[in-house]
Amino acid sequence: MYRLISELYPICRSITGDGLRQTLRRLREQIRLELSEVPTGTQVFDWTVPKEWNIRDAYVKNARGERVLKDAEYEVCIDSTLEDGHLTYGEYFLPGEIRGEVLISCHTCHPSLCNDNLSGIALAASLARVLAVAPHRYSYRFLFVPGTIGAITWLARNEDKIPHIKHGLVLTGVGDAGELHYKKSRRGNAEIDRAVAHVLQHSGQPHKILEFSPYGYDERQYCSPGINLPVGRLSRTPHGTFPEYHTSADNLEFVHPEKLADALTACLTIFSLLENNQTYMNLNPKCEPQLGKRGLYRMVGGSADAGLSEMAMLWVLNQSDGRNSLLDIAERSGLSFDSIQKAARALEEHELLRKDFKSVPQAAR
Amino acid sequence: MYRLISELYPICRSITGDGLRQTLRRLREQIRLELSEVPTGTQVFDWTVPKEWNIRDAYVKNARGERVLKDAEYEVCIDSTLEDGHLTYGEYFLPGEIRGEVLISCHTCHPSLCNDNLSGIALAASLARVLAVAPHRYSYRFLFVPGTIGAITWLARNEDKIPHIKHGLVLTGVGDAGELHYKKSRRGNAEIDRAVAHVLQHSGQPHKILEFSPYGYDERQYCSPGINLPVGRLSRTPHGTFPEYHTSADNLEFVHPEKLADALTACLTIFSLLENNQTYMNLNPKCEPQLGKRGLYRMVGGSADAGLSEMAMLWVLNQSDGRNSLLDIAERSGLSFDSIQKAARALEEHELLRKDFKSVPQAAR
Amino acid sequence: MYRLISELYPICRSITGDGLRQTLRRLREQIRLELSEVPTGTQVFDWTVPKEWNIRDAYVKNARGERVLKDAEYEVCIDSTLEDGHLTYGEYFLPGEIRGEVLISCHTCHPSLCNDNLSGIALAASLARVLAVAPHRYSYRFLFVPGTIGAITWLARNEDKIPHIKHGLVLTGVGDAGELHYKKSRRGNAEIDRAVAHVLQHSGQPHKILEFSPYGYDERQYCSPGINLPVGRLSRTPHGTFPEYHTSADNLEFVHPEKLADALTACLTIFSLLENNQTYMNLNPKCEPQLGKRGLYRMVGGSADAGLSEMAMLWVLNQSDGRNSLLDIAERSGLSFDSIQKAARALEEHELLRKDFKSVPQAAR
């Protein structure tokens, strides 16, 4: 991720133009990105795709025509164009077992800033590569879009896809030294909101959960009242609250490989939770089943299965009445989702539990 | 208000009788009060209008028939009557655009006490004078009634009017040096409860919000289970918790003009909030509308409209899906109702928002 | 209770066998316990009634065949049987005015432990004796069962009785020096949960309320998802958190007569609350009724009825709209259930209140 950031850092990006294209082409070397070109003037909801802005050249020349900066008198030239063209964005769709999707969105427009948002781009690209080779129930959709106008353009052109989005994350500013911050979706208690909170709480690391507000990055569009998707935002130090924000000090020294790696781990843990957060039915709901005769009960001086928690099994059995998902059970018990999920799997293998398909929303299949 | 209190202070008031009449007649010089005379013996719910009590004369005489108090031996005379008569109360109705009403009630029976409740009487009279010349959507009903029996009598004689009362305040003890205390209605989360809490919280002044209890002033009657009106109580230091309570020390020195004025401001702010607390629909709900092309976005080195908050606009747009009133939005955002309302007005002027009349309760029209 | 514990302490108990029978027979001298014998091999839900385990003899002999322990060399003999037989449990049913029942359950299987659970057995037996001679609306069912398998056996054989159980308590470990701990039922806000919390809060003694968890005593079975009864657990120091737990130090010195007595008082107060927790209708719901003319209002220098609280009367009148039980009113007012109940009784006598039978669940009659 850090190497990718280093390569993309010198490119002159904006919300349109060749810098943006160059950035997306570089990403296409890693993931099978599909590029869209939307012509200037296209109406996207209340907005219009703007003209393309390109820099041909820019320099400061002294009186002798030399490009320097030492003399008292000099000529400044910025040779740019603002003409009809296109807005470019990249999209990568990874189909899963069900039509329900997880949306990962990052903005690709900021120039010469490493944390905001080359870190988000690099994290999204790595997630795409990892998930492409891992089994997954959900479909995953990655959007690499210029901020605001790009997200609006995608939503305006893909209204039919919106109902399939079950969870989503906007990724931005994930490489600085600060702790992870999750900003809740407009809904405030969506499954993604609870999943991220659970993962961060059980990470053993300092973190913060922020309430939704309509200011910020592209969650503004995904959480507008007519879209209202369960999309939150994962960042480290929030925008605008650190001195390097939107200055040349947001450079390669401001982002840290280990912080990027830690954010990757957090995202994969979150997606794993969503993948496995199902609702089960206890097949032996009247009184406890006998765990001992099935080898599921701790033995004197030993334990049933390595890492299998008896408390987790008891919680899963007690709460699996078709109304509680594994995340519900993890939250009520205070145990980690991981231990709850392991318990559910062991109980399912011993035919004490079965998935309750009725509780899976129709639209998510 | 302080001058009115000074004039009313010497009058010998009780729940019936000429002192009460004299008090109401003085108020009639300021507002077009309609006086009702309810005969002794009239049944009002579980109660009966009592006999009228009047003082003709009262003195202490010495042995020589002189009205003094210096001698060791004297004669005390209180020449009073307790006879069939009437219970008197005053009512002032200010019609608005809709039938829904705001009730303002104060008790008029306490003798020789400035704070309890000449302060409430003076505040209600001032509110009536201000509202009479201000535009207002709601109708306003002011009741000047003897405590308990007066409120019961009005309710018993006006059951048909009860359904029109949408919000209400009992005003009492608002002139002392203490901070404002609001006691919630029996419902606990009525619009009036939330409106007063919001106004006090944003006043920048110390204050307290008290839970409902069935003890106190005439909110006891308005909040009885068969009436159950959304009527709270606004006071300063609560009754019974200060040494001057119900003693001759509750005199002209105990009430302060600036405290009366401050209570008047609070009430007018509360009523303004109720008047303007409407629900809007975002007419551009899919993604954010483009504020810039409408001149609503901050410019570099300046601001769009003086006093117009971008955050308030974003919150109003984000939450205006027909389910959230402006007060809901103010509460969720933490911004003042005033800034939210200004934002809504600006957005309405730019046709980004319209009032959602469906969300106005039928009965309130 | 302490004497009963002393008598039962030497008996060699287990989940089956003669020690268990001997224990139950001793209880039958105090209460009309009905004994059930369930044959080995009987299927009870997921479990099977086990073989009976009996000790014939056990000793340590030295080389000369003397039963001592002083010599260096000796012979140990435990002469026991594990054969087909029965699982024994005791049940005492005390019919009330209605079919709705209160379940009191204690486990009878632990050997040579005073607190766990001779204290629970002794408390349940005393409750049975007291309630047998006291008027009571509910029926009461006392179960003296071996832990886990006994509760499961009873539930499996009495599924038809489960719907009649309205409230329940598992009693265990109530004799040690610690404070009372109540563990909530799976439902978490059942009437029994709120009743116990209220009684402990108003006891003036330190105590703790624990959230439900699926680990513990027989509440595990009563609160399994297919049974889901409103059954909580009353203990003192929770199992596993004190060094004497499941050791020979849980002896006659570890339990205290005054702690047993205090637990008895708490239980009787809880049952009294449940017995009296009814919903009333205010017969004079519009404005307050006139308490004075009925002698219910405090007089100068005195009070209406000894111990009758005016505030409690006002709260009962204000909240009795058919939606609030006396416990609801006690909780909202912060007053004790006792004072609320006394107020309700006085108001009922003065025909200001009547029981709202509609609000009593059909199944409880």
Side-chain angles (χ1 to χ4, degrees):
Chain A
M1 288 185 275
Y2 191 82
R3 196 177 322 124
L4 179 63
I5 291 173
S6 309
E7 288 179 39
L8 298 176
Y9 184 46
I11 301 173
C12 174
R13 263 175 305 281
S14 185
I15 57 167
T16 56
D18 292 328
L20 176 55
R21 275 188 201 92
Q22 200 180 333
T23 301
L24 294 173
R25 278 196 211 108
R26 173 63 191 84
L27 289 173
R28 209 158 47 171
E29 295 170 19
Q30 294 200 347
I31 53 178
R32 293 176 53 186
L33 214 57
E34 190 179 317
L35 300 195
S36 299
E37 296 278 353
V38 186
T40 299
T42 304
Q43 192 68 19
V44 286
F45 294 134
D46 192 51
W47 299 64
T48 310
V49 171
K51 297 192 178 197
E52 220 184 288
W53 181 71
N54 282 299
I55 288 287
R56 285 189 193 139
D57 198 4
Y59 52 80
V60 178
K61 269 188 184 170
N62 66 7
R64 289 177 301 280
E66 298 157 343
R67 298 193 177 192
V68 293
L69 247 171
K70 286 178 182 160
D71 293 343
E73 204 179 327
Y74 49 82
E75 173 196 346
V76 176
C77 170
I78 299 175
D79 181 6
S80 71
T81 60
L82 185 65
E83 293 171 349
D84 282 355
H86 292 82
L87 175 144
T88 318
Y89 65 79
E91 185 170 0
Y92 175 56
F93 181 70
L94 191 56
E97 292 170 28
I98 60 174
R99 291 187 69 183
E101 323 187 341
V102 179
L103 180 76
I104 293 106
S105 179
C106 57
H107 61 276
T108 53
C109 49
H110 282 33
S112 303
L113 298 169
C114 278
N115 200 39
D116 183 8
N117 187 31
L118 292 176
S119 69
I121 293 170
L123 175 56
S126 285
L127 283 168
R129 294 172 73 185
V130 173
L131 289 166
V133 295
H136 49 92
R137 200 159 58 94
Y138 281 110
S139 301
Y140 286 80
R141 186 179 299 278
F142 294 82
L143 297 185
F144 297 85
V145 290
T148 303
I149 186 67
I152 292 171
T153 299
W154 187 88
L155 287 164
R157 299 176 87 214
N158 294 280
E159 285 202 66
D160 59 320
K161 299 202 178 68
I162 295 175
H164 299 305
I165 299 172
K166 302 305 167 198
H167 320 282
L169 283 180
V170 167
L171 299 178
T172 171
V174 291
D176 65 86
E179 56 198 42
L180 284 171
H181 283 65
Y182 177 69
K183 175 184 161 182
K184 289 183 190 174
S185 77
R186 181 178 185 266
R187 301 185 187 183
N189 65 345
E191 194 175 337
I192 183 70
D193 299 323
R194 295 168 51 209
V196 181
H198 183 86
V199 167
L200 295 184
Q201 278 154 20
H202 285 263
S203 69
Q205 305 211 27
H207 64 274
K208 285 217 176 61
I209 307 290
L210 308 170
E211 292 302 316
F212 174 76
S213 98
Y215 192 66
Y217 290 96
D218 284 338
E219 69 274 12
R220 294 164 68 152
Q221 313 310 328
Y222 301 124
C223 294
S224 59
I227 307 291
N228 199 25
L229 282 171
V231 173
R233 188 188 78 208
L234 192 68
S235 309
R236 291 191 178 277
T237 313
H239 59 93
T241 66
F242 51 97
E244 296 85 354
Y245 177 69
H246 279 192
T247 75
S248 57
D250 181 357
N251 57 24
L252 284 166
E253 285 171 31
F254 190 63
V255 295
H256 306 278
E258 72 276 15
K259 293 297 179 182
L260 294 164
D262 177 76
L264 178 67
T265 303
C267 285
L268 291 172
T269 311
I270 292 160
F271 296 153
S272 168
L273 191 161
L274 294 171
E275 289 284 340
N276 291 288
N277 185 28
Q278 296 192 300
T279 299
Y280 289 84
M281 288 298 291
N282 180 338
L283 295 173
N284 191 84
K286 292 178 180 172
C287 298
E288 294 176 1
Q290 205 186 343
L291 298 180
K293 70 183 181 190
R294 296 174 175 89
L296 289 167
Y297 196 69
R298 60 183 165 178
M299 268 77 76
V300 178
S303 68
D305 283 58
L308 186 55
S309 149
E310 188 189 331
M311 274 308 286
M313 284 193 294
L314 293 176
W315 271 111
V316 170
L317 286 168
N318 188 275
Q319 295 290 302
S320 289
D321 57 4
R323 269 177 297 196
N324 302 306
S325 72
L326 295 189
L327 179 55
D328 289 320
I329 302 174
E331 288 178 344
R332 182 165 186 187
S333 69
L335 300 174
S336 74
F337 184 86
D338 187 56
S339 67
I340 290 292
Q341 182 196 335
K342 274 189 187 136
R345 199 169 292 162
L347 293 166
E348 197 181 13
E349 279 167 20
H350 286 83
E351 297 181 355
L352 287 169
L353 216 61
R354 66 165 166 71
K355 283 197 187 74
D356 182 22
F357 289 108
K358 286 195 305 273
S359 72
V360 180
Q362 189 69 25
R365 292 185 198 172
Chain B
M1 290 185 273
Y2 191 82
R3 195 177 322 123
L4 179 63
I5 291 172
S6 311
E7 287 180 40
L8 297 176
Y9 183 46
I11 301 172
C12 174
R13 262 175 306 281
S14 186
I15 56 168
T16 54
D18 291 329
L20 176 56
R21 275 188 201 92
Q22 200 180 337
T23 301
L24 295 172
R25 276 194 213 109
R26 173 64 190 82
L27 290 173
R28 208 157 50 171
E29 294 170 20
Q30 294 201 348
I31 53 179
R32 293 176 51 187
L33 214 57
E34 190 179 318
L35 298 196
S36 298
E37 295 279 353
V38 185
T40 298
T42 304
Q43 192 69 19
V44 286
F45 295 134
D46 192 51
W47 299 64
T48 312
V49 171
K51 298 194 178 195
E52 223 183 286
W53 181 70
N54 281 299
I55 287 287
R56 286 189 192 138
D57 198 3
Y59 53 80
V60 178
K61 269 190 183 167
N62 66 8
R64 289 178 301 280
E66 297 155 344
R67 300 191 178 194
V68 293
L69 249 169
K70 286 177 183 160
D71 292 343
E73 204 180 326
Y74 49 82
E75 173 195 347
V76 176
C77 170
I78 300 176
D79 181 6
S80 70
T81 61
L82 184 65
E83 293 172 350
D84 282 355
H86 293 81
L87 175 145
T88 319
Y89 65 78
E91 184 170 1
Y92 175 57
F93 182 71
L94 191 57
E97 292 170 28
I98 59 174
R99 290 187 70 184
E101 322 186 342
V102 179
L103 179 76
I104 293 106
S105 178
C106 57
H107 62 277
T108 53
C109 48
H110 282 35
S112 302
L113 299 168
C114 278
N115 200 39
D116 183 7
N117 187 33
L118 292 176
S119 69
I121 293 170
L123 174 55
S126 285
L127 283 168
R129 294 172 73 185
V130 173
L131 288 166
V133 296
H136 49 91
R137 198 159 60 92
Y138 282 109
S139 300
Y140 287 80
R141 185 178 302 276
F142 294 82
L143 297 185
F144 298 84
V145 290
T148 305
I149 186 67
I152 293 171
T153 299
W154 188 87
L155 286 164
R157 300 178 86 214
N158 293 281
E159 285 201 66
D160 59 319
K161 299 201 178 70
I162 295 175
H164 300 304
I165 299 172
K166 303 303 168 200
H167 321 282
L169 282 179
V170 167
L171 300 177
T172 170
V174 291
D176 66 86
E179 57 198 42
L180 283 172
H181 284 64
Y182 176 69
K183 174 183 162 182
K184 290 183 189 172
S185 77
R186 181 177 185 266
R187 301 185 187 183
N189 65 346
E191 195 174 338
I192 183 71
D193 299 323
R194 295 167 52 207
V196 180
H198 183 88
V199 167
L200 295 184
Q201 278 153 21
H202 285 262
S203 71
Q205 305 212 27
H207 63 275
K208 285 217 177 61
I209 307 291
L210 308 170
E211 292 302 316
F212 174 75
S213 99
Y215 191 67
Y217 289 95
D218 283 337
E219 67 275 12
R220 295 165 69 151
Q221 313 311 327
Y222 302 125
C223 294
S224 58
I227 307 291
N228 200 24
L229 282 171
V231 173
R233 188 189 78 209
L234 193 67
S235 308
R236 290 192 178 277
T237 313
H239 58 94
T241 66
F242 52 97
E244 296 85 353
Y245 177 68
H246 279 192
T247 74
S248 57
D250 180 357
N251 58 23
L252 284 166
E253 283 170 32
F254 190 63
V255 296
H256 306 278
E258 71 276 15
K259 294 296 179 182
L260 294 164
D262 177 76
L264 178 66
T265 303
C267 285
L268 291 172
T269 312
I270 292 161
F271 295 153
S272 169
L273 190 161
L274 295 172
E275 289 284 340
N276 290 288
N277 185 27
Q278 296 193 298
T279 300
Y280 290 84
M281 289 299 291
N282 180 339
L283 296 173
N284 190 85
K286 293 178 180 175
C287 299
E288 294 175 2
Q290 203 184 345
L291 298 179
K293 71 183 180 190
R294 295 175 175 88
L296 287 168
Y297 197 68
R298 59 184 165 179
M299 267 77 76
V300 179
S303 68
D305 282 59
L308 186 54
S309 149
E310 187 190 332
M311 273 309 286
M313 284 193 293
L314 293 176
W315 271 111
V316 170
L317 287 168
N318 187 277
Q319 295 292 301
S320 289
D321 56 4
R323 270 176 296 195
N324 301 306
S325 71
L326 295 188
L327 179 54
D328 290 319
I329 301 173
E331 287 178 344
R332 182 164 185 187
S333 68
L335 301 174
S336 74
F337 185 87
D338 188 57
S339 67
I340 291 292
Q341 182 195 336
K342 274 188 186 139
R345 198 169 291 163
L347 293 165
E348 196 180 13
E349 279 168 18
H350 287 83
E351 296 181 357
L352 287 170
L353 217 61
R354 67 164 165 70
K355 282 197 189 72
D356 181 22
F357 287 109
K358 285 194 306 272
S359 71
V360 180
Q362 188 69 26
R365 292 184 196 170
Chain C
M1 289 185 275
Y2 191 82
R3 196 178 320 128
L4 180 63
I5 291 173
S6 311
E7 288 178 38
L8 298 176
Y9 183 45
I11 301 172
C12 175
R13 262 175 306 281
S14 185
I15 57 168
T16 55
D18 292 329
L20 176 56
R21 275 187 200 93
Q22 199 181 335
T23 301
L24 294 173
R25 277 194 213 110
R26 172 64 190 85
L27 290 173
R28 209 159 48 171
E29 295 170 19
Q30 294 201 349
I31 53 178
R32 293 176 51 187
L33 213 58
E34 189 180 319
L35 300 196
S36 299
E37 295 280 352
V38 185
T40 297
T42 306
Q43 192 68 18
V44 287
F45 294 135
D46 191 51
W47 299 65
T48 311
V49 170
K51 296 192 179 197
E52 221 183 288
W53 182 72
N54 282 300
I55 288 286
R56 284 188 192 138
D57 198 4
Y59 53 78
V60 178
K61 269 188 184 168
N62 66 8
R64 288 176 302 280
E66 298 156 344
R67 299 193 180 192
V68 293
L69 246 170
K70 286 178 183 161
D71 293 344
E73 204 179 327
Y74 49 82
E75 173 196 345
V76 175
C77 170
I78 300 177
D79 181 6
S80 71
T81 60
L82 185 64
E83 294 171 349
D84 283 355
H86 293 81
L87 176 145
T88 319
Y89 64 79
E91 185 170 1
Y92 174 57
F93 181 70
L94 191 58
E97 292 171 28
I98 60 175
R99 290 187 69 182
E101 321 184 344
V102 179
L103 179 76
I104 293 106
S105 179
C106 57
H107 62 275
T108 52
C109 49
H110 282 34
S112 301
L113 298 168
C114 279
N115 200 39
D116 184 7
N117 187 32
L118 293 175
S119 69
I121 293 170
L123 174 56
S126 284
L127 283 168
R129 294 172 73 184
V130 173
L131 289 167
V133 295
H136 49 93
R137 199 160 57 93
Y138 282 110
S139 301
Y140 287 79
R141 185 178 301 276
F142 294 83
L143 296 185
F144 297 84
V145 290
T148 304
I149 186 67
I152 293 171
T153 299
W154 188 87
L155 287 165
R157 300 178 85 213
N158 294 281
E159 285 202 67
D160 59 318
K161 299 202 177 68
I162 295 175
H164 300 305
I165 298 172
K166 302 305 167 199
H167 321 283
L169 282 180
V170 167
L171 299 178
T172 171
V174 292
D176 66 87
E179 57 198 42
L180 284 171
H181 284 65
Y182 176 70
K183 175 184 161 183
K184 290 183 190 174
S185 77
R186 181 177 185 266
R187 301 185 186 182
N189 65 346
E191 194 174 339
I192 183 71
D193 300 323
R194 295 168 52 209
V196 181
H198 183 87
V199 167
L200 295 184
Q201 278 154 19
H202 285 263
S203 70
Q205 305 212 28
H207 64 274
K208 284 216 176 59
I209 307 291
L210 308 169
E211 292 301 317
F212 174 75
S213 99
Y215 191 67
Y217 290 96
D218 283 338
E219 68 274 13
R220 293 164 70 152
Q221 313 310 328
Y222 301 125
C223 294
S224 59
I227 307 292
N228 200 25
L229 282 171
V231 173
R233 188 189 78 210
L234 193 68
S235 308
R236 290 193 179 277
T237 313
H239 58 94
T241 66
F242 51 97
E244 296 84 354
Y245 177 69
H246 278 192
T247 75
S248 56
D250 181 357
N251 58 23
L252 284 166
E253 283 170 32
F254 190 64
V255 295
H256 305 279
E258 71 275 17
K259 293 297 178 181
L260 294 163
D262 177 75
L264 179 66
T265 303
C267 285
L268 291 172
T269 311
I270 292 161
F271 296 153
S272 168
L273 190 161
L274 294 172
E275 289 284 340
N276 291 289
N277 186 27
Q278 297 194 297
T279 299
Y280 289 84
M281 289 297 293
N282 179 338
L283 296 172
N284 191 84
K286 293 178 179 173
C287 299
E288 294 175 1
Q290 204 185 345
L291 298 179
K293 71 183 180 191
R294 296 174 175 87
L296 288 167
Y297 197 68
R298 61 184 163 176
M299 267 78 76
V300 178
S303 68
D305 283 58
L308 186 56
S309 150
E310 187 188 333
M311 273 309 285
M313 284 194 293
L314 293 175
W315 271 110
V316 170
L317 287 168
N318 188 277
Q319 295 291 302
S320 290
D321 55 4
R323 270 176 296 196
N324 301 307
S325 71
L326 294 189
L327 179 54
D328 289 320
I329 302 173
E331 287 179 343
R332 182 165 186 185
S333 68
L335 300 174
S336 74
F337 184 86
D338 187 58
S339 67
I340 291 291
Q341 181 195 337
K342 274 190 186 136
R345 199 168 292 163
L347 293 166
E348 196 181 13
E349 279 167 19
H350 286 84
E351 296 181 357
L352 288 170
L353 216 62
R354 68 165 164 72
K355 284 198 187 73
D356 182 21
F357 288 108
K358 284 194 307 269
S359 72
V360 179
Q362 187 71 25
R365 291 185 198 171

